Amino acid sequence: MSNLLRAQLRRTLRGRLFWVELAVAAVLALTILLNGYFGTNLTNAYVFKLVARMFGYAPLMGVFVGLFTAHLWGCDYEFGTLRNPLICGHSRLAVYGSKLCCASLAGLAVTGVWLLLNLVVGLPLLGRPGLSDGMLVCYALASLLMVLALAALCTLLASLVSSRSAAYLLCLGAVAAMVIVGMVLYDHFSEPYLVPTGLMTVPDKATGELVTYVPRNEQYVGGTARVALELALCLLPGGQGVLLCEQGAEHMVLLPVCSLLVLVGTTWFGVRQFRRKELR
């Protein structure tokens, strides 16, 4: 598989899409940082939002990984070269694994560019983020595992079809759907326990005096349902992206565990179906 991976990486570095994605990630990161810097006049409120800018790439990584993976498989579909490694004696597992590794490395490279620019540019301009070093490392590692899960999922989806256009539609459509579903689920998950701006005044039953209190939010999801909702968010790479962007995870251990489950599950299923696929 190492020879196939080197060939995939060589083709990737010679192509334009990978470099375009790196450039777009760099421009987006710098634009968001500089816009926040000049738009807030260095207020403390923005300093504590720096970590949101650091992980603001998370919901967007599906587009980067999906586009790259679809292009990686689509070129072979378009030119009919997917069977060439098999004719040369490589196994289907090696072909699938090389494409998965190439997509994973490309996604990690885009992630690295974003994080590096936030550390190099964001910290001098905006100061330290409002998270401890340990939590910052945990979020960074969770985001890298999320990228690997995205690469595994997009590799599976791209291997299911047999045309370049179908690979693009399936990969980009799936990642867009995951982010939309993740945003909807997070809206319910982020509902506060108490109504933040609601004050109610009622007479006390014992004394009859008026008592003012903050009412409970009826939209709040608690108990077992809250854990299940967070689990559903973490099992969707797009939902994880929203959680990372908003720093909304309440059980950090769920992020890496769910990413590993998605990575292993999609890879196992993808290799199994690719071995049975009829190549044209």
Side-chain angles (χ1 to χ4, degrees):
M1 190 181 77
S2 59
N3 291 334
L4 289 177
L5 179 58
R6 281 196 294 268
Q8 296 283 1
L9 293 175
R10 191 179 302 113
R11 189 176 71 173
T12 296
L13 295 176
R14 289 178 178 176
R16 289 179 295 181
L17 180 62
F18 174 70
W19 300 109
V20 169
E21 288 195 351
L22 289 182
V24 170
V27 170
L28 281 175
L30 290 175
T31 300
I32 292 173
L33 287 172
L34 294 177
N35 180 65
Y37 175 78
F38 292 110
T40 58
N41 296 319
L42 294 178
T43 61
N44 289 332
Y46 183 79
V47 172
F48 289 102
K49 293 180 181 179
L50 170 61
V51 73
R53 271 63 182 180
M54 289 186 69
F55 300 107
Y57 68 89
L60 302 175
M61 279 308 301
V63 178
F64 288 110
V65 175
L67 188 62
F68 179 86
T69 307
H71 176 76
L72 193 64
W73 286 82
C75 289
D76 285 334
Y77 291 146
E78 183 178 3
F79 300 108
T81 56
L82 193 58
R83 291 180 298 178
N84 291 354
L86 302 177
I87 296 173
C88 294
H90 296 284
S91 66
R92 294 197 176 210
L93 175 61
V95 174
Y96 189 94
S98 65
K99 290 188 178 296
L100 172 59
C101 291
C102 186
S104 300
L105 291 174
L108 292 176
V110 174
T111 304
V113 166
W114 189 291
L115 290 177
L116 182 62
L117 285 174
N118 273 268
L119 291 174
V120 173
V121 179
L123 287 179
L125 289 180
L126 305 173
R128 291 179 57 83
L131 284 179
S132 65
D133 293 340
M135 286 300 296
L136 198 61
V137 171
C138 287
Y139 272 106
L141 293 177
S143 69
L144 295 178
L145 284 174
M146 180 206 70
V147 172
L148 297 180
L150 273 171
L153 179 60
C154 290
T155 301
L156 166 63
L157 295 176
S159 68
L160 292 175
V161 297
S162 299
S163 68
R164 185 174 187 173
S165 57
Y168 280 115
L169 288 174
L170 188 57
C171 289
L172 295 180
V175 296
M178 285 190 299
V179 172
I180 293 173
V181 172
M183 292 174 66
V184 172
L185 293 178
Y186 185 75
D187 283 341
H188 294 285
F189 183 75
S190 62
E191 287 285 347
Y193 179 73
L194 300 176
V195 178
T197 59
L199 292 176
M200 294 188 65
T201 303
V202 296
D204 186 86
K205 293 182 179 180
T207 63
E209 297 180 356
L210 294 179
V211 178
T212 301
Y213 72 100
V214 180
R216 183 180 182 277
N217 184 7
E218 297 296 332
Q219 303 297 322
Y220 175 79
V221 180
T224 306
R226 186 169 187 82
V227 178
L229 184 58
E230 185 177 9
L231 180 62
L233 274 167
C234 292
L235 285 174
L236 284 174
Q240 276 205 36
V242 177
L243 279 175
L244 289 168
C245 182
E246 300 293 338
Q247 298 88 59
E250 295 181 358
H251 301 86
M252 281 296 298
V253 69
L254 287 178
L255 295 176
V257 169
C258 289
S259 290
L260 290 174
L261 287 175
V262 173
L263 175 62
V264 173
T266 53
T267 301
W268 174 81
F269 184 77
V271 170
R272 184 178 180 183
Q273 69 81 28
F274 187 65
R275 281 173 172 168
R276 301 176 178 178
K277 182 176 181 179
E278 181 180 354
L279 302 180
R280 299 176 181 177

